[in-house]
């Protein structure tokens, strides 16, 4: 189950471009879309449509190579309030 705030959105622009990412802010005059590599602030007048997918922005099968105990350990680590800082 993917929280509504983190569902993938497909945004079609009036110039024909199609962008996909997470809509982090949607206001009367602008929409903010975050992709894995960029952040776009789009003028509402340039947006033809926004379709929210039920799919997660995470790739399918990401946990497939892991053993069940590795998945358990990863989820426990991510749920912990503090992770190990990077060097």
């Amino acid at each position: 189950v993917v929280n509504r705030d983190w569902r993938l959105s497909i945004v079609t622009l009036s110039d024909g471009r199609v962008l996909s990412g997470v809509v982090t802010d949607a206001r009367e005059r602008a929409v903010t879309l975050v992709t894995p590599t960029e952040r776009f602030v789009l003028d509402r007048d340039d947006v033809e449509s926004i379709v929210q997918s039920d799919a997660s922005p995470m790739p399918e099968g990401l946990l497939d190579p892991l053993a069940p105990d590795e998945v358990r350990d990863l989820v426990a680590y991510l749920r912990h309030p503090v992770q190990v800082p990077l060097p």
Side-chain angles (χ1 to χ4, degrees):
V1 177
V2 179
N3 183 306
R4 187 169 190 70
D5 294 339
W6 295 105
R7 289 186 183 166
L8 183 69
S9 293
I10 291 97
V11 179
T12 304
L13 302 176
S14 55
D15 65 3
R17 289 183 295 157
V18 177
L19 304 171
S20 63
V22 176
V23 174
T24 59
D25 191 18
R27 298 180 186 226
E28 186 177 324
R29 301 203 39 127
V31 174
T32 303
L33 181 76
V34 177
T35 72
T37 58
E38 296 180 74
R39 179 178 175 269
F40 297 93
V41 178
L42 307 166
D43 189 310
R44 275 278 189 189
D45 292 338
D46 296 334
V47 175
E48 278 194 16
S49 67
I50 300 174
V51 177
Q52 195 173 55
S53 170
D54 289 333
S56 167
M58 295 299 287
E60 287 289 325
L62 194 60
L63 301 177
D64 290 350
L66 301 178
D69 59 329
E70 292 173 316
V71 173
R72 181 201 62 222
D73 293 346
L74 175 61
V75 171
Y77 174 78
L78 294 173
R79 288 182 51 105
H80 196 275
V82 178
Q83 282 85 35
V84 177
L86 295 173

